[in-house]
Amino acid sequence: MSETTQGVRIRTGSQTLRTSIELLSSMRFAIALLTVICIASVIGTVLKQHEPTINYVNQFGPFWAQLFSTLQLNAVYSAWWFLVILAFLVISTSLCIVRNTPKILADLRTYKENIREQNLRAFHHKAEATLAQDAATEARRIGQMLAGGGWKVKLQQRDTAAGPGTGWMVAAKAGAANKIGYIAAHSAIVLICLGGLFDGDLVVRAQMWFNGKSTFAGGGMIADVPAAHRLAATNPTFRGNLMVTEGTQSSTAILSQSDGILVQELPFSLELKKFIIEHYESGMPKLFASDVVIHDKATGEKTEQRIEVNHPARFKGIEIYQSGFDDGGSSVTLSALPMVPKASGFEVQGVIGGRAQPLKDTGGEPLALELVSLRTINVENFSDSGEKTSSGADVRKVDLGASIGARMGAANKTAKNKDLRNVGPSIGYKLRDAAGQAREYHNYMLPVDMGDGNPPVFLLGVRESQAETFRYLRVPVDEQGGIDGFMRMRLALQDPAAREQAVLRYATQAMEGGRKEMVEQLAQSASRTLALYAGGPDEDGQYIGGLPAIARFLEKNVPEAERERASEVLVRILNGALYELAQLTRQQAGLKPLESNEQTLAFMTQMVVALSDAQIYPAPVVLALKDFTQVQASVFEVARAPGKNIVYLGCALLIVGIFAMLYIRERRVWVWVKPHDGGAHATMALSTNRKTMDGDREFAQLTEKLIGVAPTARHGGST
């Protein structure tokens, strides 16, 4: 296609192509692409990648979760637009290399010996001198001295005004590697991007686009996944996860995608003989290792290896890394302790990661139990800074605001002084209701000593979703070392008849010898306080109990000036009534009464707070870990990454290129020697790609060495 403008015919097609090439190979375009890549990389670092959609909804809300999914910000490095930007950066940098390399190579070959004398006088670094010998002799001397100093030299004889062939141009150059550094650095960018594209999701996505592969979002056994969701063992590049249980073997890896998974077939089968973990004295792990056997599918050959962190195994171009460990299907026995009246305890047996099983005897709506995790060692951070002692204060001197603010919290809050301790095994499970909604629980098997004189406690954790941290209910240990004392108190607190009996005992003992009216008045106050503490719906229909219920009652019914004194009175009444309730439950259980001592005081103090926290513990039963048989599993990362060698080469070229461009100066020297009064006259100039003090010193040394005079410099001259 062509157009005619003012009689001149212009080929518009070639002009458009030329303009496009100019744009693609421009530095501004490349910098813009790099800026977008940097911003995308920041997003990919800050925002967790490849998380389930529900996690983004819980953390950011439906709008932002939908926006992240639409823009693929939850999978930045495999997003189509990110791959397109990388591809354009490769094209842009490649065009830049193609356009400039011939010029650079041509410049490296030439000495620019045809420069004229008047041009030399225009340089910033220049000098002139009269030499004793004839022009030819002086030119050869100068050339030999430059060559001896590491310069590449070329001599040219050419005509002057004095006669033909009587003048000599000595042209020399050094530091040519500076321009080689430009080519190396730009080539490195291309190689690194190509390696990243090749080892990224581009090849996998190409198979999904052109080979009919798709992600799998269903459930069931890996062996039942259809072929449309499987990648062949000949797949040139992939990175996935492989979990193997002790005594078993696996030959398929899982490649996580934003909308499901792909199953990657491996050319070998990995058998886990034994998983090894070693710990420091504090309980922190210091070694993960797996003794494995690699079974070659093609030959049947067996290879035994040990895989450790940072010490992978290699087989047929595939690297196998130790990335973690998990439960391999341990069997557990749980004791179900009821938290609601008219429910009885029972035992549950199951397998970690197994099918959900119903829990019908919960005193209410049926629930399904999903066993999630078993951890035999838990290293937690404890501190002696006093940050965990608020829940262990004397209930008769409790600050209700502080008690409510710290009523529930993580067992391993951030502490100023770290005290790492192994607190023993724990069980993680989910209770799912009929609507499919689930809460996650995390209970420790052994009591934990929180220090500072507080009694040991059982930690019962709960969270609404994985986006939250666990909140822990701290249940004091009774003298039998169990949780039964708390359970008896919990059930008795919900029994109005038991509360009234405890209130009557408290009022009678507190007002012993007093008038009947005073006993009845104290009993009414204690009954009202204990009922508030036991919990129930408020005027707005919301369930509230524990210390928050008492605090709300004080705010609504007591003037602010009298609130502190009233709170002390109510807490003393509450403490006394609960003490009598504890004695009543022990009597009904056939146990001896609690003794009046510091140990009982600490136990009851923790009991008051635990019963208050239990109002917001949303489970009808507590599942306590009774026994377990552990089965370990190793989690491996398997990767075939041929592009890494390209990236390594690119990194090496990048280092060489940057070093050459920053630390090697390209310099050129010209000395024009012509006959003059029986001797010779020399005009000398130096050109460098960077004006530095080193260049000034070098030129001063060269002029003194070559022509024996001090240099002159004129600022603003052309180089």
Side-chain angles (χ1 to χ4, degrees):
M1 181 182 294
S2 64
E3 295 180 357
T4 302
T5 304
Q6 296 180 352
V8 180
R9 191 175 184 181
I10 302 174
R11 298 180 65 185
T12 56
S14 60
Q15 182 67 26
T16 303
L17 178 61
R18 188 180 300 111
T19 303
S20 301
I21 293 176
E22 288 283 348
L23 173 64
L24 286 174
S25 60
S26 65
M27 180 178 293
R28 287 178 297 177
F29 185 73
I31 290 176
L33 293 177
L34 281 173
T35 302
V36 176
I37 289 174
C38 289
I39 295 173
S41 299
V42 170
I43 295 174
T45 302
V46 174
L47 184 66
K48 288 185 177 181
Q49 301 289 286
H50 298 288
E51 289 284 306
T53 303
I54 188 62
N55 289 3
Y56 297 110
V57 174
N58 291 336
Q59 187 171 0
F60 301 102
F63 172 78
W64 290 106
Q66 180 62 36
L67 182 64
F68 294 161
S69 178
T70 303
L71 299 179
Q72 293 185 300
L73 297 181
N74 57 338
V76 168
Y77 304 112
S78 59
W80 66 266
W81 53 265
F82 187 81
L83 299 178
V84 169
I85 292 173
L86 277 181
F88 268 106
L89 182 60
V90 171
I91 295 172
S92 175
T93 311
S94 300
L95 287 175
C96 186
I97 295 173
V98 170
R99 292 183 60 192
N100 292 286
T101 298
K103 301 176 184 178
I104 292 173
L105 296 179
D107 190 63
L108 290 175
R109 288 193 297 266
T110 182
Y111 288 80
K112 299 182 179 181
E113 66 274 13
N114 294 320
I115 191 169
R116 297 181 179 275
E117 180 180 2
Q118 57 267 32
N119 296 126
L120 296 180
R121 292 192 173 98
F123 277 77
H124 176 74
H125 294 103
K126 62 184 182 298
E128 296 186 40
T130 302
L131 306 177
Q133 301 185 59
D134 62 275
T137 303
E138 291 292 350
R140 292 189 183 93
R141 178 187 63 82
I142 292 172
Q144 290 174 357
M145 295 183 71
L146 286 170
W151 294 71
K152 293 183 178 180
V153 182
K154 183 175 183 179
L155 272 66
Q156 180 194 55
Q157 186 180 15
R158 66 190 191 200
D159 299 341
T160 67
T166 57
W168 289 85
M169 173 61 73
V170 182
K173 61 181 181 180
N178 176 269
K179 292 189 181 300
I180 299 297
Y182 172 88
I183 299 175
H186 284 70
S187 300
I189 295 176
V190 174
L191 291 175
I192 291 172
C193 290
L194 285 175
L197 285 171
F198 194 64
D199 282 350
D201 282 354
L202 185 61
V203 175
V204 173
R205 286 189 171 274
Q207 296 184 61
M208 296 172 65
W209 294 332
F210 307 114
N211 202 23
K213 300 298 182 181
S214 62
T215 57
F216 179 73
M221 304 296 291
I222 294 179
D224 298 331
V225 176
H229 313 299
R230 292 177 175 270
L231 301 178
T234 55
N235 186 12
T237 174
F238 60 84
R239 185 178 298 271
N241 292 318
L242 173 68
M243 189 175 82
V244 187
T245 303
E246 282 183 336
T248 67
Q249 54 183 283
S250 177
S251 60
T252 53
I254 302 299
L255 278 58
S256 297
Q257 303 293 312
S258 58
D259 54 349
I261 65 166
L262 290 168
V263 177
Q264 174 63 58
E265 299 288 348
L266 300 174
F268 59 85
S269 181
L270 190 66
E271 177 187 356
L272 178 62
K273 295 178 63 179
K274 184 176 181 58
F275 175 75
I276 302 166
I277 181 171
E278 297 179 1
H279 299 84
Y280 294 104
E281 292 182 359
S282 63
M284 291 292 290
K286 68 176 180 180
L287 172 67
F288 300 122
S290 298
D291 290 334
V292 302
V293 179
I294 302 175
H295 300 263
D296 190 342
K297 288 183 177 180
T299 64
E301 181 183 358
K302 299 180 181 179
T303 305
E304 293 190 6
Q305 290 198 36
R306 168 170 286 197
I307 303 174
E308 300 180 14
V309 177
N310 299 325
H311 294 84
R314 294 174 177 85
F315 185 82
K316 291 189 175 181
I318 299 177
E319 294 189 328
I320 309 168
Y321 299 89
Q322 178 76 56
S323 63
F325 63 96
D326 206 338
D327 191 275
S330 301
S331 59
V332 296
T333 301
L334 307 177
S335 294
L337 307 175
M339 292 276 283
V340 293
K342 300 179 181 180
S344 57
F346 54 94
E347 279 194 356
V348 179
Q349 293 183 343
V351 176
I352 301 298
R355 296 181 180 274
Q357 53 181 305
L359 291 180
K360 296 183 180 180
D361 193 9
T362 57
E365 180 183 5
L367 297 172
L369 170 65
E370 300 174 12
L371 297 173
V372 176
S373 64
L374 171 70
R375 297 181 60 181
T376 59
I377 295 178
N378 290 274
V379 179
E380 303 292 354
N381 180 16
F382 293 84
S383 169
D384 58 0
S385 61
E387 294 184 8
K388 298 183 179 66
T389 59
S390 61
S391 63
D394 186 341
V395 293
R396 291 169 296 183
K397 300 178 181 179
V398 142
D399 180 347
L400 288 180
S403 296
I404 296 167
R407 68 183 184 274
M408 290 187 79
N412 55 345
K413 288 182 180 177
T414 302
K416 296 178 182 178
N417 302 316
K418 289 185 177 180
D419 179 13
L420 300 177
R421 280 186 279 155
N422 176 23
V423 295
S426 65
I427 183 72
Y429 59 90
K430 292 182 180 179
L431 293 179
R432 193 176 299 275
D433 59 24
Q437 300 296 319
R439 290 188 178 92
E440 190 172 357
Y441 298 85
H442 183 232
N443 299 340
Y444 289 86
M445 181 178 183
L446 302 177
V448 179
D449 185 3
M450 304 297 292
D452 296 321
N454 294 318
V457 294
F458 284 100
L459 298 176
L460 310 179
V462 60
R463 65 180 179 185
E464 300 295 327
S465 69
Q466 291 184 349
E468 300 178 0
T469 57
F470 281 104
R471 300 172 298 160
Y472 285 92
L473 173 63
R474 307 177 187 185
V475 177
V477 178
D478 55 28
E479 66 270 23
Q480 284 79 31
I483 198 176
D484 294 340
F486 170 80
M487 291 300 176
R488 290 194 300 267
M489 285 285 290
R490 166 74 176 167
L491 297 177
L493 190 62
Q494 298 177 37
D495 184 0
R499 292 202 306 266
E500 289 302 320
Q501 189 175 354
V503 163
L504 182 60
R505 292 178 56 168
Y506 164 70
T508 302
Q509 293 184 15
M511 302 299 297
E512 185 177 359
R515 292 180 300 176
K516 182 179 180 181
E517 296 81 3
M518 296 180 64
V519 173
E520 292 178 352
Q521 185 177 1
L522 180 59
Q524 291 178 1
S525 298
S527 179
R528 175 62 175 167
T529 301
L530 207 56
L532 285 171
Y533 184 80
D538 60 8
E539 60 273 12
D540 299 326
Q542 296 182 349
Y543 189 91
I544 184 172
L547 295 176
I550 296 177
R552 178 179 291 188
F553 173 80
L554 292 172
E555 291 175 0
K556 290 186 175 182
N557 298 280
V558 178
E560 185 176 359
E562 303 176 10
R563 199 169 295 162
E564 182 178 357
R565 178 178 176 82
S567 67
E568 292 182 359
V569 173
L570 287 183
V571 171
R572 285 181 179 273
I573 293 175
L574 175 65
N575 184 48
L578 287 176
Y579 179 79
E580 293 300 330
L581 185 63
Q583 298 287 39
L584 180 62
T585 60
R586 294 177 65 84
Q587 179 181 342
Q588 293 173 348
L591 301 174
K592 64 179 182 180
L594 290 171
E595 298 180 3
S596 180
N597 52 33
E598 291 294 327
Q599 183 177 356
T600 299
L601 177 61
F603 173 79
M604 288 303 303
T605 298
Q606 184 62 47
M607 181 68 75
V608 170
V609 179
L611 290 172
S612 176
D613 292 347
Q615 308 296 326
I616 54 176
Y617 187 79
V621 293
V622 171
L623 297 179
L625 181 61
K626 182 178 180 181
D627 195 10
F628 62 88
T629 302
Q630 188 183 25
V631 178
Q632 291 278 25
S634 276
V635 180
F636 302 100
E637 182 178 278
V638 291
R640 177 181 280 157
K644 71 177 182 180
N645 296 323
I646 302 176
V647 173
Y648 291 158
L649 176 60
C651 291
L653 285 178
L654 187 62
I655 294 171
V656 171
I658 292 177
F659 180 85
M661 289 190 293
L662 292 180
Y663 297 103
I664 297 178
R665 291 181 299 112
E666 183 188 18
R667 295 103 65 208
R668 291 181 181 268
V669 170
W670 297 271
V671 183
W672 169 244
V673 185
K674 64 181 180 179
H676 179 73
D677 294 338
H681 181 272
T683 302
M684 176 180 174
L686 179 138
S687 171
T688 179
N689 63 331
R690 289 195 302 271
K691 292 181 179 181
T692 62
M693 295 180 64
D694 290 338
D696 296 339
R697 285 194 293 266
E698 184 178 28
F699 184 65
Q701 294 170 359
L702 286 173
T703 52
E704 184 175 357
K705 179 179 179 181
L706 299 179
I707 60 177
V709 298
T712 59
R714 180 173 65 83
H715 293 285
S718 173
T719 59

